Amino acid sequence: MKALHFGAGHIGRGFIGKLLADAGVELTFADVNQTVLDLLNSRKSYQVHVVGEQERVESVNNVSAVNSGSEAAVALIAEADLVTTAVGPQILGKIAGTIAKGLVLRHQQGNEQPLNIIACENMVRGTSQLKQHVLAALPQDEQAWVEQHVGFVDSAVDRIVPPADSSDPLEVTVETFSEWIVDQTQFKGQPPAIAGMELTDNLMAFVERKLFTLNTGHAITAYLGQRAGLQTIRDAILDPAIRRVVKGAMEESGAVLIKRYGFDADKHAAYINKILGRFENPYLHDDVERVGRQPLRKLSAGDRLIKPLLGTLEYGLPHANLIQGIAAAMSYRSEQDPQAQELAELLNTLGPKAALAQISGLPAESEVVEEAVAVYNAMHK
């Protein structure tokens, strides 16, 4: 089985690429970082540090690499069985042109074998969004063939992969826990047998479970941690006041999931505690500024802060801790992050009420916006 994986960064190498290579897939990475491409092609392998109570180093072998925009990448798509991505939501549109060219070539070469494409991104239904970019880049007369032969399979991914603290550009550090859940209803042909890839026919339940728990908790930990002058996620979650708000927010968003999908309340409480334990992992030096970056995206209507809040409004549930998290997100500042600077500018020019309404899509005169602005103002007194 052959796979092309777009994104040879930490998540690509430490998570999805590793699962594929471990399953014996013939794996090629596609990326634009020439240093990483050259090293992957010369060494054909790299080391993954799996950190937790049973720390270990695992070797990923028999890999190669091509440039994402190259004819070599196009040619690989024409013959691959699987294409995966871990490039970040903003980059999906940029790789769609290469994928579209590869699909046209595949058709021209008469390759009728099913191809499945899975975007493994930190976003809701990322593959469906990638599909729209690919269809837009395809000639009109190729679209029916692609619909017939190519599966665009949505997935939910979960593994904390902090920046590696190593002089070796290929070395990567990951936590022990990982979860890759895919929508089995969207495959063309038989889903591949890959250890660590779980099939479901109710993906949205798992997408929202992860978004409303890990992503919500992670972001709020980062934003409150930065406000408290703490540097890492571990430092922040060990602060009792921060932990109380983070756990409270995850319980509020969890109440939405229990109502919406019928999750077992005790099992979901155990899932929350497991995630709090992951944030405490002493081997993961995850910086609050890194986790908090792109606050405009994280405060948008479909993301980790506003979407669970909307759920609490839908079901008439409490949301005081989620409001604390939203106010802390509004307070996030970073010289390295253009979105943080844009957020500060919006708050300056529009004021907190109009700025939050514009970013989140919440009505400016709504009670929740008033609540969030009151907490934000209190934070800045």
Side-chain angles (χ1 to χ4, degrees), residues 153-377:
V153 182
D154 285 305
S155 78
V157 288
D158 185 0
R159 185 170 227 179
I160 297 171
V161 184
D165 185 19
S166 168
S167 57
D168 183 346
L170 291 190
E171 252 181 46
V172 60
T173 299
V174 298
E175 65 169 336
T176 312
F177 180 93
S178 78
E179 193 171 65
W180 183 21
I181 300 173
V182 297
D183 187 340
Q184 66 188 34
T185 68
Q186 294 175 309
F187 279 95
K188 290 283 193 271
Q190 276 294 106
I194 295 165
M197 186 179 86
E198 297 173 60
L199 303 172
T200 182
D201 56 8
N202 185 12
L203 183 70
M204 280 314 290
F206 292 97
V207 167
E208 290 204 341
R209 184 186 70 151
K210 188 238 171 176
L211 184 74
F212 285 25
T213 319
L214 177 95
N215 294 135
T216 299
H218 216 197
I220 294 174
T221 305
Y223 294 133
L224 290 172
Q226 191 192 58
R227 283 205 53 71
L230 301 167
Q231 198 187 338
T232 68
I233 292 295
R234 175 175 160 81
D235 295 339
I237 206 62
L238 290 176
D239 179 295
I242 292 174
R243 189 189 189 88
R244 194 164 50 248
V245 176
V246 171
K247 189 175 186 207
M250 291 201 284
E251 286 166 350
E252 289 164 1
S253 60
V256 175
L257 296 170
I258 289 161
K259 278 271 193 197
R260 187 171 286 165
Y261 299 112
F263 283 140
D264 178 277
D266 291 339
K267 283 184 183 164
H268 192 70
Y271 178 67
I272 288 172
N273 284 328
K274 183 177 209 170
I275 284 177
L276 289 167
R278 291 166 66 194
F279 293 169
E280 285 177 29
N281 189 333
Y283 305 96
L284 289 175
H285 301 287
D286 213 359
D287 198 88
V288 295
E289 191 164 319
R290 185 195 79 83
V291 175
R293 70 189 172 192
Q294 297 182 334
L296 297 180
R297 178 166 68 86
K298 287 170 183 167
L299 281 164
S300 66
D303 217 290
R304 63 208 68 196
L305 298 169
I306 306 300
K307 197 169 193 203
L309 175 70
L310 290 169
T312 66
L313 299 176
E314 181 184 340
Y315 299 112
L317 297 166
H319 49 243
N321 293 289
L322 284 165
I323 291 287
Q324 289 271 344
I326 289 163
M330 292 167 68
S331 308
Y332 175 76
R333 299 293 178 265
S334 169
E335 292 299 315
Q336 279 70 53
D337 182 2
Q339 281 199 17
Q341 290 162 36
E342 198 180 327
L343 171 62
E345 185 62 29
L346 282 169
L347 288 162
N348 250 342
T349 52
L350 301 178
K353 187 164 144 182
L356 178 58
Q358 182 176 310
I359 297 160
S360 67
L362 294 167
E365 300 310 320
S366 61
E367 204 173 301
V368 283
V369 168
E370 298 285 358
E371 288 169 23
V373 168
V375 175
Y376 173 81
N377 288 335

Side-chain angles (χ1 to χ4, degrees), residues 46 55 60 70 98 104 140 142-143 149 163 180 184 205 236 258 263 268 287 295 300 322:
Y46 58 89
E55 190 169 359
V60 175
S70 66
T98 301
V104 171
Q140 199 71 38
E142 293 286 348
Q143 296 192 1
H149 295 91
W180 183 21
Q184 66 188 34
I258 289 161
F263 283 140
H268 192 70
D287 198 88
S300 66
L322 284 165

